[in-house]
Amino acid sequence: MKFTVAIDGPAAAGKGTIGRAVAEAFGFAHLDTGVLYRAVGVRGGDPVAAAQSLSAEDLARDDLRTLEAGQAASRVAAIPQVRAALLEFQRRFARREGGAVLDGRDIGTVICPEAEVKLFVTASAPVRAHRRWLELGGDEAQVLAQVRERDARDMGRADAPLRPAPDAVLLDTSDLPVDQAIARVLDLVRSRLA
Ligand code: DC
């Protein structure tokens, strides 16, 4: 069975948490596609060459979750050749047998427009910055500035900008507890599977 759940949205909206819960509930494979761009960003050197030669080791680095890695990822993600190098792997993952959940910025629009479920998960910038700050610490005002900077870059780039697919279900998690957000998405997936 091929069944794809595409989850897009800005940083710290809850995509990863929801994606992991869906994958676990239905036994689907899960790919956090941001990790691919983070691994390219932190490798340094020529980002196109890095994207073309990403290894399992690159994806297992323990410095991929930092704010700096997020910024570096957002910068290399604007390079069309970097996106092109990562496209096929993501497409194959999306249509693998047994079901797949992918979270990112362009899953429902570019990687898998035929996904059976498309979600656009969002929350206000201050709420998302507060979550990132709880997770990573630092100066909250600076974290908010970085979140806004990354949003502007991810939404403003020419190639595969962050935007909801026309048929995506919108989920604003600003005031929605995570367990309720997960419950809603599980109901949606269940209804599409039926
Ligand atoms: O989801 P994340 O914060 O780990 O993503 C890091 C950056 O990678 C994000 O700011 C933009 C880029 N990205 C992308 O362009 N397309 C994706 N599908 C996933 C991430």
Side-chain angles (χ1 to χ4, degrees):
M1 177 208 57
K2 291 187 167 76
F3 189 94
T4 311
V5 181
I7 307 179
D8 292 307
K15 306 183 299 290
T17 307
I18 293 172
R20 278 189 296 277
V22 171
E24 184 165 339
F26 297 97
F28 298 162
H30 177 230
L31 180 64
D32 169 2
T33 63
V35 165
L36 305 175
Y37 294 91
R38 287 171 180 264
V40 171
V42 299
R43 222 171 73 176
D46 174 11
V48 178
Q52 287 167 342
S53 63
L54 267 194
S55 66
E57 224 167 88
D58 291 323
L59 301 178
R61 285 175 64 142
D62 59 10
D63 57 353
L64 297 181
R65 297 310 323 163
T66 65
L67 287 172
E68 294 72 28
Q71 292 289 5
S74 172
R75 279 192 289 273
V76 299
I79 304 170
Q81 297 93 317
V82 166
R83 308 198 70 83
L86 301 175
L87 185 88
E88 208 37 54
F89 171 73
Q90 296 176 80
R91 282 212 170 134
R92 258 187 279 119
F93 193 96
R95 298 317 272 171
R96 81 211 309 265
E97 278 302 323
V101 183
L102 289 86
D103 66 79
R105 304 289 187 287
D106 63 340
I107 309 305
T109 51
V110 174
I111 301 298
C112 194
E114 70 274 35
E116 283 74 12
V117 178
K118 290 184 202 173
L119 277 174
F120 193 84
V121 182
T122 187
S124 74
V127 165
R128 291 185 288 116
H130 188 67
R131 289 179 190 158
R132 256 308 119 86
W133 173 76
L134 287 175
E135 192 188 323
L136 298 172
D139 172 37
E140 192 170 349
Q142 200 186 339
V143 175
L144 176 57
Q146 291 200 359
V147 160
R148 291 198 202 278
E149 188 190 328
R150 203 135 73 86
D151 284 356
R153 198 186 294 116
D154 294 346
M155 292 190 283
R157 69 184 175 221
D159 190 16
L162 169 64
R163 61 180 169 77
D167 52 348
V169 173
L170 302 184
L171 187 66
D172 188 328
T173 65
S174 303
D175 300 311
L176 191 64
V178 65
D179 52 333
Q180 287 184 33
I182 290 171
R184 273 197 212 176
V185 175
L186 294 184
D187 277 349
L188 176 68
V189 174
R190 229 174 264 124
S191 72
R192 299 275 163 95
L193 270 170

